[in-house]
């Protein structure tokens, strides 16, 4: 969490927060700037700062899982999650696990766990195949008022109605894939001078300790259709909130459009053949 005179930044892990921190440290050098409780949530904002705008960053869940897999915090610090014994009990080759194994491990062993202890984020309202995902739990924890109660109350009806949105803190959300421009725009909107902000537009990525992925390392290459559907189901609340990340829905829509065009083309072709056949029959009769 970063607290400035102008706003509060909430740093959800693996969303581009290291870049934002680097930019703000440069921008606010010599001014009031408090970098505290690195991954603090909205509920952790001190009362005297709650009236300030809240800035945060979101990342495509598919891409974020890949980033978390490579960053490997769960390999280096297993006790920050459920502990090495439990991971090895379910995945004997740990810490050597495949990406699909990591995604399923995160959505079983990492839920409701921190420092090997339960966190109180429990939800028993869904069957196993429809349980909510690790990223959804994190989103609720970071951005909702009374987050444990909100998470426990989520069910299919509240997801469909979007009623949970009423519990969100007021947020200004930037996207990691457009972070330079959107961070610049946000700060410009606060009244900061353009000349002080200009460096943001061309700033290079800043990776946390442990490095990052190359640009050509595409998240799409990590997913089978089945794994993509698994993430789509588990993180369906996030895809509802951020539909531009919902590639499966887009793919389905594109397929439906293609099917409609093909069906339309077949109908037109069939009508043309009947017309030709009818004219041929008329010519023969005469």
């Amino acid at each position: 969490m970063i607290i400035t005179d102008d706003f509060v930044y909430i740093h959800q892990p693996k969303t581009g927060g290291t870049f934002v921190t680097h930019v703000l440290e440069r921008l606010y050098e010599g001014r009031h700037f408090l970098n505290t409780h690195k991954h603090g949530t909205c509920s952790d904002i001190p009362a005297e700062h709650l009236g300030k705008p809240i800035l945060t960053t979101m990342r495509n869940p598919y891409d974020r899982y890949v980033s978390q897999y490579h960053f490997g915090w769960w390999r280096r610090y297993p006790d920050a999650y459920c502990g090495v014994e439990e991971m090895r009990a379910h995945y004997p080759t740990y810490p050597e696990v495949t990406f699909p194994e990591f995604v399923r491990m995160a959505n079983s062993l990492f839920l409701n766990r921190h420092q090997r202890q339960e966190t109180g984020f429990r939800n028993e309202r869904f069957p196993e195949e429809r349980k909510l995902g690790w990223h959804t739990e994190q989103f609720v924890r970071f951005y909702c008022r009374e987050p444990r109660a909100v998470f426990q109350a989520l069910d299919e009806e509240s997801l469909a109605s979007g009623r949970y949105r009423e519990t969100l803190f007021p947020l200004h959300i930037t996207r990691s894939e457009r972070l330079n421009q959107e961070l610049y725009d946000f700060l410009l909107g606060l009244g900061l001078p353009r000349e002080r902000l200009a460096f943001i537009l061309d700033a290079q990525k800043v990776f946390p300790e442990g490095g990052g992925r190359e640009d050509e390392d595409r998240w799409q290459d990590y997913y089978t259709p089945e794994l993509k559907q698994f993430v789509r189901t588990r993180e369906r609340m996030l895809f509802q909130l951020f539909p531009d990340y919902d590639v499966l829905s887009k793919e389905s829509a594109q397929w439906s459009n293609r099917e409609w065009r093909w069906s339309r083309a077949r109908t037109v072709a069939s009508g043309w053949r009947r017309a030709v056949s009818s004219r041929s029959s008329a010519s023969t009769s005469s």
Side-chain angles (χ1 to χ4, degrees), residues 2 60 90 135 145 154 171 176 231 250 256 266 277-278:
I2 294 174
N60 181 331
H90 292 82
H135 289 182
R145 295 182 175 88
L154 287 171
L171 301 169
S176 62
V231 171
K250 293 177 183 176
S256 296
R266 287 194 296 268
S277 175
S278 178

Side-chain angles (χ1 to χ4, degrees), residues 97-150:
V97 299
T98 65
F99 176 68
E101 288 174 333
F102 165 74
V103 172
R104 294 184 182 277
M105 180 169 66
N107 279 279
S108 55
L109 304 185
F110 297 174
L111 290 168
N112 189 34
R113 300 294 287 278
H114 181 63
Q115 303 290 357
R116 303 173 68 114
Q117 303 296 318
E118 290 197 3
T119 61
F121 284 86
R122 182 179 293 278
N123 183 297
E124 304 293 346
R125 296 174 181 268
F126 300 96
E128 180 61 35
E129 67 276 8
R130 298 283 294 172
K131 284 186 178 297
L132 298 174
W134 186 38
H135 289 182
T136 299
E137 179 189 294
Q138 290 179 338
F139 183 89
V140 171
R141 180 164 60 87
F142 268 81
Y143 304 119
C144 289
R145 295 182 175 88
E146 302 294 334
R148 289 176 178 82
V150 170

Side-chain angles (χ1 to χ4, degrees), residues 4-285:
T4 76
D5 287 336
D6 304 310
F7 63 93
V8 177
Y9 177 67
I10 296 296
H11 180 178
Q12 186 178 197
K14 306 310 297 172
T15 61
T18 302
F19 172 84
V20 175
T21 300
H22 177 79
V23 166
L24 296 181
E25 285 174 343
R26 174 175 170 179
L27 189 63
Y28 281 84
E29 186 177 7
R31 302 175 62 194
H32 177 70
F33 179 92
L34 180 61
N35 189 352
T36 179
H37 198 345
K38 181 177 181 179
H39 295 305
T41 71
C42 289
S43 297
D44 297 320
I45 298 174
E48 63 268 27
H49 298 289
L50 275 174
K52 295 178 178 178
I54 302 173
L55 174 69
T56 194
T57 311
M58 287 300 299
R59 187 174 190 168
N60 181 331
Y62 296 116
D63 189 27
R64 187 167 175 242
Y65 272 114
V66 175
S67 180
Q68 289 167 319
Y69 176 68
H70 282 291
F71 187 60
W73 197 262
W74 50 278
R75 286 192 183 102
R76 287 175 281 165
Y77 304 101
D79 283 348
Y81 300 84
C82 58
V84 64
E85 298 86 358
E86 190 165 350
M87 292 192 203
R88 284 210 175 119
H90 292 82
Y91 298 90
T93 61
Y94 172 88
E96 299 304 319
V97 299
T98 65
F99 176 68
E101 288 174 333
F102 165 74
V103 172
R104 294 184 182 277
M105 180 169 66
N107 279 279
S108 55
L109 304 185
F110 297 174
L111 290 168
N112 189 34
R113 300 294 287 278
H114 181 63
Q115 303 290 357
R116 303 173 68 114
Q117 303 296 318
E118 290 197 3
T119 61
F121 284 86
R122 182 179 293 278
N123 183 297
E124 304 293 346
R125 296 174 181 268
F126 300 96
E128 180 61 35
E129 67 276 8
R130 298 283 294 172
K131 284 186 178 297
L132 298 174
W134 186 38
H135 289 182
T136 299
E137 179 189 294
Q138 290 179 338
F139 183 89
V140 171
R141 180 164 60 87
F142 268 81
Y143 304 119
C144 289
R145 295 182 175 88
E146 302 294 334
R148 289 176 178 82
V150 170
F151 190 76
Q152 291 169 4
L154 287 171
D155 56 21
E156 295 291 6
E157 188 279 327
S158 62
L159 291 181
S161 67
R163 190 170 63 246
Y164 60 87
R165 297 172 190 254
E166 299 170 3
T167 70
L168 289 170
F169 282 81
L171 301 169
H172 185 97
I173 299 174
T174 55
R175 307 298 188 93
S176 62
E177 66 273 17
R178 303 188 292 267
L179 192 49
N180 294 61
Q181 184 66 57
E182 293 189 357
L183 180 59
Y184 172 89
D185 292 341
F186 170 78
L187 295 168
L188 186 65
L190 292 178
L192 277 70
R194 291 179 185 271
E195 57 272 18
R196 287 185 56 206
L197 302 176
F199 76 95
I200 299 174
L201 295 174
D202 298 319
Q204 299 300 305
K205 290 182 178 180
V206 180
F207 296 114
E209 182 182 352
R213 287 153 48 211
E214 299 296 330
D215 288 340
E216 58 270 19
D217 190 10
R218 302 166 63 251
W219 68 259
Q220 292 90 338
D221 298 331
Y222 288 79
Y223 286 85
T224 63
E226 293 76 18
L227 186 61
K228 193 185 293 183
Q229 183 60 62
F230 176 82
V231 171
R232 171 62 176 77
T233 299
R234 291 298 175 109
E235 311 298 357
R236 58 194 181 278
M237 187 180 104
L238 299 183
F239 291 116
Q240 180 189 64
L241 286 166
F242 306 99
D244 49 321
Y245 290 148
D246 191 1
V247 294
L248 275 185
S249 179
K250 293 177 183 176
E251 290 169 0
S252 177
Q254 290 169 354
W255 179 255
S256 296
N257 287 336
R258 283 197 295 268
E259 282 285 293
W260 182 87
R261 288 196 296 270
W262 291 338
S263 175
R264 178 64 178 165
R266 287 194 296 268
T267 300
V268 171
S270 176
W272 180 81
R273 285 194 297 269
R274 285 196 301 270
V276 170
S277 175
S278 178
R279 286 197 296 270
S280 298
S281 297
S283 299
T284 302
S285 299

